[in-house]
Amino acid sequence: MGKKKDKLAAQQQQQLQQQVPWKSIDKDPLGFLVSPEDPGSFFERNWEQKPAVFKATAERVALFQGLCSLPAVVNWLKQRQKKAGPLAFGVDFNTARYRNGVRETPNGEVADAGGFKALHDDEGCTLQLFQPQRFFDPCWRLLAALERQLGCLVGSNAYLTPAGSQVSRQAQRRLCKRSLEMPHINLRYLSSIGAEWAGAIVQLAVPPSLVHTSSCHVSNASEHTKFTGVLSVVQGLAPHYDDVELWVVQTNGSKVWKLYQSTNGYQLPNQPSPDFDQDALGEPMLEVELCVGDVLYMPRGTVHQAAAQTADSSHLTISTYQRCSYADLATHLLQVRQRELLLSAAAGAMHAAAAWWHGLLASLPAPAHVACCVALVTCSLTDWCGLRSRLVWLTWCATCTS
């Protein structure tokens, strides 16, 4: 039955692909992602400023529905492993679970189609497929069009998360056996019986007398009460922010995203963050459920987390502008010049190289250059683009001076 369902899903996805308006996507891929909004308005209101949600259009559903979903990836992997072998952990994909506030990465060495599916279905892992554009042509074509339009490298990952209410058969058997041995069922036990329960919602029908109400809220509306355990829905990654401009596109099921303000007021970082403690985040500034074809844009530095709901979920992340800022350009120019001077020093021009580097590290003299810096800062209050141009120009002049 499972094989027939996977095959049917793959056929439906192929039929949808025939309806994709590739001519218009090739011409304006960004407009396709942010439709019905105009790309110009998007850059003016949201780019590097604030998140935005773009609800599904028929064209986006045609392209993304089922793309890089679990059935699609498993069917592709069955064909791949006949020639290229299984997928390699850390190279082709990664696994992650977020349990009790801690991220787990239960990686091995390789995984075939059966092992890949078991990690998802039985172990409750989110599967992160690296650079799916290597394997799925629609991803490659969309990213190639975006690179032409943005003039910058564009990357992608696919994330496959099991349903929030999904619990493995093995875990069910363990709970049933253990509950017969216990005079009372305590939810603290449910939160610690093993990896199979990581991130799952546990729903049981039991008499209220068997439940320790100190662990959960129990209604007395009926003789047999249905209660929900204290664990959250399936979440693969801990709260964090990225160092890229990011579009999230839902391709299967649904997922709830929570977005938080940048920590310590720091925005547009050029390094990704470590995992954050949930208690330190406060209330989300945006909470939204994405369905197939919906797009969520997040500027770099936006703290976020996501969790699947009552069905399996898959989404694509499309990322760009990694280390592509004015500061990164200035840093690169200085590093290039430094390497050139080191090569010159190795060739015998030690004195000139040392003098240039020492001059660059020296303090700004007063009062003339201080006044110049004040003028630059004052300029920045009304003309930030002009300040950036001056800084880049000054950096370039420094690199050209020996």
Side-chain angles (χ1 to χ4, degrees):
M1 186 67 181
K3 293 182 179 179
K4 291 183 178 179
K5 184 178 179 181
D6 292 348
K7 186 176 181 180
L8 179 61
Q11 291 175 349
Q12 292 175 343
Q13 205 271 330
Q14 290 178 355
Q15 292 174 356
L16 284 171
Q17 286 295 314
Q18 297 175 359
Q19 305 173 19
V20 177
W22 278 115
K23 287 186 178 180
S24 61
I25 294 175
D26 290 339
K27 183 178 180 180
D28 185 14
L30 182 60
F32 170 75
L33 282 180
V34 303
S35 176
E37 186 166 342
D38 177 76
S41 299
F42 166 75
F43 275 111
E44 181 180 350
R45 299 173 184 174
N46 300 104
W47 180 256
E48 295 186 335
Q49 299 174 61
K50 61 181 181 179
V53 178
F54 307 98
K55 302 306 290 183
T57 63
E59 292 78 12
R60 281 204 297 268
V61 171
L63 173 58
F64 291 119
Q65 185 167 3
L67 184 62
C68 297
S69 63
L70 182 66
V73 174
V74 169
N75 286 332
W76 161 78
L77 185 51
K78 289 177 180 177
Q79 300 300 319
R80 166 198 159 94
Q81 62 194 28
K82 296 177 182 179
K83 299 180 180 179
L87 296 179
F89 283 89
V91 176
D92 298 313
F93 81 110
N94 206 358
T95 63
R97 282 190 301 241
Y98 185 59
R99 181 173 63 173
N100 298 329
V102 179
R103 173 177 173 172
E104 299 177 345
T105 307
N107 282 356
E109 294 184 0
V110 296
D112 58 11
F116 189 88
K117 195 172 188 298
L119 285 167
H120 180 279
D121 292 347
D122 299 333
E123 298 297 328
C125 291
T126 288
L127 308 177
Q128 179 186 13
L129 184 64
F130 299 143
Q131 302 175 37
Q133 67 270 24
R134 297 178 295 162
F135 315 123
F136 297 93
D137 285 348
C139 294
W140 160 79
R141 187 166 179 176
L142 176 62
L143 266 60
L146 283 169
E147 288 185 345
R148 288 194 300 269
Q149 186 176 34
L150 297 174
C152 185
L153 292 176
V154 179
S156 180
N157 284 321
Y159 295 84
L160 292 69
T161 303
S165 60
Q166 202 169 43
V167 180
S168 72
R169 293 179 180 177
Q170 180 184 4
Q172 293 180 36
R173 289 196 298 269
R174 290 173 60 187
L175 178 63
C176 292
K177 179 180 178 181
R178 181 61 175 153
S179 64
L180 293 176
E181 300 170 354
M182 300 174 63
H184 294 79
I185 297 177
N186 191 314
L187 286 186
R188 291 191 179 92
Y189 168 72
L190 297 183
S191 65
S192 61
I193 60 173
E196 295 89 353
W197 292 97
I201 288 181
V202 184
Q203 292 186 327
L204 300 171
V206 297
S209 60
L210 296 183
V211 180
H212 281 179
T213 56
S214 60
S215 301
C216 70
H217 173 73
V218 178
S219 170
N220 294 318
S222 62
E223 179 182 356
H224 286 70
T225 299
K226 187 176 184 181
F227 67 91
T228 302
V230 295
L231 297 179
S232 63
V233 292
V234 169
Q235 180 173 331
L237 302 179
H240 67 283
Y241 65 69
D242 296 304
D243 59 340
V244 289
E245 302 300 309
L246 195 65
W247 292 272
V248 178
V249 186
Q250 192 72 22
T251 65
N252 185 56
S254 65
K255 214 165 198 178
V256 170
W257 289 79
K258 294 182 180 180
L259 277 56
Y260 303 85
Q261 295 288 353
S262 300
T263 57
N264 299 323
Y266 186 65
Q267 298 176 334
L268 303 181
N270 64 356
Q271 296 289 337
S273 75
D275 293 341
F276 290 111
D277 186 349
Q278 185 71 52
D279 295 335
L281 295 178
E283 293 298 319
M285 64 176 178
L286 175 64
E287 183 171 351
V288 61
E289 181 176 359
L290 296 186
C291 299
V292 175
D294 291 345
V295 175
L296 169 64
Y297 164 74
M298 291 184 286
R300 58 190 186 275
T302 304
V303 180
H304 58 275
Q305 61 181 347
Q309 300 304 292
T310 57
D312 291 351
S313 167
S314 61
H315 71 268
L316 288 172
T317 59
I318 300 173
S319 56
T320 189
Y321 274 71
Q322 185 176 44
R323 299 180 187 176
C324 197
S325 67
Y326 285 94
D328 293 306
L329 172 62
T331 300
H332 175 72
L333 291 172
L334 291 172
Q335 289 174 342
V336 169
R337 182 56 176 163
Q338 181 186 15
R339 286 194 294 268
E340 291 175 349
L341 289 170
L342 290 175
L343 290 175
S344 299
M350 178 68 75
H351 179 72
W356 180 87
W357 191 244
H358 182 268
L360 189 62
L361 297 177
S363 301
L364 290 171
H369 285 187
V370 172
C372 177
C373 291
V374 170
L376 282 175
V377 173
T378 304
C379 166
S380 70
L381 298 178
T382 57
D383 185 14
W384 172 233
C385 292
L387 174 63
R388 289 190 296 190
S389 300
R390 287 172 174 80
L391 289 175
V392 172
W393 178 77
L394 289 171
T395 305
W396 176 256
C397 291
T399 61
C400 295
T401 304
S402 57

